[in-house]
Amino acid sequence: MPRAALLVSTALLAALMPLSAARAADDPSPTPVDRFEGEVPFATQPADGIFTWGGDSDDPPQLQFADRADAPEGAKVLAGTYDISGYGGFTHDFAATEPAHDWSAHKGIRFWWDGQDNGKKTAFEIKDGGADGEASELWTTSFTDDFTGWKQIEIPFTDFVYRTDYQPVGGIDHVLGLTRMWGYAVTLPVGVQGRFAMDDVELYGKADQSLRASVTTDAAVYPVREGGTASVKVTVATTGSAPLDEPVTVGYETAGGTAGSGKDYTPVSGTLTFPAGTASGATQTIKVPTLKDRSAESAETIPLKLTVTGAKAPAETPQVVIDAHGLPYLNSKLPVKKRVADLLSRMSLEEKAGQMTQAERGAVGTGGDVTAYDLGSLLSGGGSTPTPNTAAAWARMIDSFQLRAQATRYQIPLIYGVDAVHGHNNLAGATIMPHNIGIGATRDPRLAEKAGAVTASEVRATGVPWDFAPCLCVTRDERWGRSYESFGEDSALVKSMETVIQGLQGRADGRDLKDNDKVLATAKHFVGDGGTAYGSSTTGSYTIDQGVTTVTRQQLEAIHLAPYQTAVDRGIGTVMPSYSSLDIVGDGQGPVKMHARADMINGVLKDRMGFKGFVISDWNAIDQLPGDYASHVSTSVNAGVDMMMVPYSYQDFTATLIDQVKAGKVSERRIDDAVSRILTQKFELGLFEHPYADTSNAARIGSAAHRAVAREAAAESQVLLKNSSAVLPLKKSQKVYVAGSNADDLGNQTGGWTITWQGQSGTHTTGTTVLQGMKNAGGDVTYSKDASAPTGGYDVGVVVVGETPYAEGVGDVGNGNDLALSAADQAAVDKVCAAMKCVVLIVSGRPQLIGDRLGEIDALVASWLPGTEGDGVADVLYGRKAFTGQLPVTWPKSEAQLPINVGDASYDPQYPYGWGLTTLTKAPQGGTATLKALGAAARAAERRGADSTGRDLVTQARLLVQAKVGQSVTAAVSKPFADADHLLLTGRYAAAVEKLAEAYRAA
């Protein structure tokens, strides 16, 4: 019968065999996995069956079940052809929807391969452990096609190694358990046209105990104070937790390392025995005493060599480390500057290069390379999480990496970073704030700071001291896939929201960074990332992200650079350059990648602005520079980049940097400057005293208090663009018909950079959708996503439409995205609004083109990406709170208008920058006379420095103007109206009222 795989249990095979044959065989009979006789379907992931994959459309191989007279088994084989330029191969997920298989009774896996004698290596991979085939560990090995004709390839399971370069969801336990196998994959050779055939995949041989039993230690590194005794726990465990069949012995001895035997420690040796019948999980302890002397010393290592018989030995030799002691840099009472100078003076070039290097957690496996390369930093890229994705697992993971740093000579702690751009967004269950575009819509600096503080608290509670946020981009073209990461299109608005830095870091002098609820912040992406021209990107299929920003010197200063001076003044700890290129009109350089612009990083940021923190590159950004890799390294370092985010190429980077210094291409002075900056922040964060996670605030992650802040932000971010006949706020007595793709989709509501890099539709974390929020508010609500349910008998409809998640250039308009509503959303709007009064909420990272439907819509709300707290959206819909949000970007009439921004000479949008109606508050009466009085009062407030009063007066004038304008938003109204909001944000309250008066007269 057709099945995903013909994997028959050993017990069943034995039952089918003649009794004598079953008893005679010492090894179990082979267990078939795939015969390729037609029982295996071709499928698409994640269905059961065989599917192909590749780096681009040409890379997946062509597969068929072919009749072969010479088939090693049966009549058919799996055959294919390939011509791969990037990467390609095929996978058999034979248990995608079935229970995982147990392969632990066998020695290995084998199959027949029709050799072509091309001398190429073919990778073979198995999926082990985890929740399912797409959340499993990848273990890999390879064989060489150096033969002709059919050959049986036998691969013992002991040959497989854990893949550190890529894991779909990160590591599970880094142990090839073999009890939960989900499938296998073949990666075909690159750069040659080829064909292959494969047949009869099966499990063979009898597993020996050394495969089923393993010896482990409770840690890889055992720091101990000089004179203390290290306790190394040795554990034996078996697959399936069965007792040992045979004895296991563990010989041990202290040997080698940098500590002196008899001088720094008392040598130990001996044998531990775990007799047959010992329970899995049994533990014995080895004690290693260290000795005191009177001298100040760096850390010293004592390897504990283990020789195991009867089980698999630990993957690496555990090390006892005698802590560094007595050195000035360890004295927390000394000024940071002196501690940095002392430590720097002791470090080798290799150690300094390590401090300038940041690797991805998935690349370093269990972390041995942290020690081997003296790595200064690790990060989690978007979606790179421990399993399970819990706060406790994050803390354990990061502590395990920090432990590795303790085995280095000076025990310099790691600084671990994440992109927590709207809350701790990689962590399931965290509080997810509105994306920055929504925070900009609140016009509430106090709330921005509170949101930053919640984020910092939740991030630091998982052991992460560094956040790659906030984005200080000034978005100038809503076709950009990162638009929602910006607070808005006006540098004055971005500057006003930089209170978030204090929320993240605390006071500007850095004194709060050591606290357990603060993190180091990152201003990104320096500089001009939001100004790239449409069509200028050369990155893959991106259209605008990572492209070229062409500006005059004055435009650069006023629009893109201004927020960075504010960030420096606020004490920002790190700055990240942009992938994009900067082309300053008239400077004669043309477009230059920002990671190469020494004039901007060294000259402007560090020298002119006085930035004292360190500069961290973006993900593999130096690879986009011209020239060979050596020039990538020297150019970026000499330009002022202090630490390189080289996720999977950290080994090449450190070696190349060292070579470039030795060759005189990078000066030692420049290296010392970079490392001093990095060490300064590590000391300020208190990492030398407290390198491990302080989880005392973990209970606050996703707490009611934190979600209350996110709810407040969601409510204040809602921008009411239209409200005919005061349809909003809704009344609880009304029967409300709710429809639309984003009404009940938490993933769409939270957007990109949520749990994964690109985000995803559906429920992937804890939160409340807009629909549930409306129900929680007490609304009488009926829901029909596609508006297919009957529409009769309702008082009002609420249609929640908009975008699905994306991040960065993947979301660029023209790269599979546009600014129009989907056909399904358009149909839902049309049907509901034709049947009843209707409110349309647009949940999106940027404005959507809705002008052709404005006439049929009674109320229109820009909801942006409000995060996990849909209750906040319901708060303003039902009048618990007033609508107060204002547009942080101009809302265009058509895509042809883009880019369109406040201050443009020609400015005729659908809604101008700063537009935002309110509820629960009446606009002032009196027309021009009132505006004149408001202007006079604003002038007086400005003279007194009464900013709060000045802002309130401008708000009164804005509401008065909007009341007169209604929906007759003309170019003559829009330009002065938008200019007024810019003037308000720059503290010119009287001028703002004057501009509003101009808009009033034009209405």
Side-chain angles (χ1 to χ4, degrees), residues 651-685:
Q651 297 167 335
D652 290 340
F653 171 75
T654 53
T656 304
L657 178 58
I658 291 165
D659 289 345
Q660 290 297 95
V661 174
K662 290 179 178 178
K665 300 294 180 64
V666 177
S667 71
E668 291 197 41
R669 181 179 179 183
R670 171 70 194 103
I671 297 296
D672 285 352
D673 171 60
V675 177
S676 294
R677 290 169 175 270
I678 295 163
L679 293 177
T680 297
Q681 298 303 326
K682 290 186 176 185
F683 280 118
E684 295 282 6
L685 283 161

Side-chain angles (χ1 to χ4, degrees), residues 287-310:
K287 301 280 190 179
V288 181
T290 67
L291 304 172
K292 271 198 169 185
D293 59 34
R294 295 172 182 256
S295 59
E297 294 175 302
S298 59
E300 297 171 304
T301 58
I302 310 168
L304 182 64
K305 183 180 178 183
L306 302 179
T307 304
V308 178
T309 303

Side-chain angles (χ1 to χ4, degrees), residues 330-343:
L330 296 169
N331 184 354
S332 61
K333 295 180 181 178
L334 288 178
V336 166
K337 191 172 183 179
K338 285 189 176 182
R339 298 178 75 183
V340 169
D342 176 69
L343 178 52

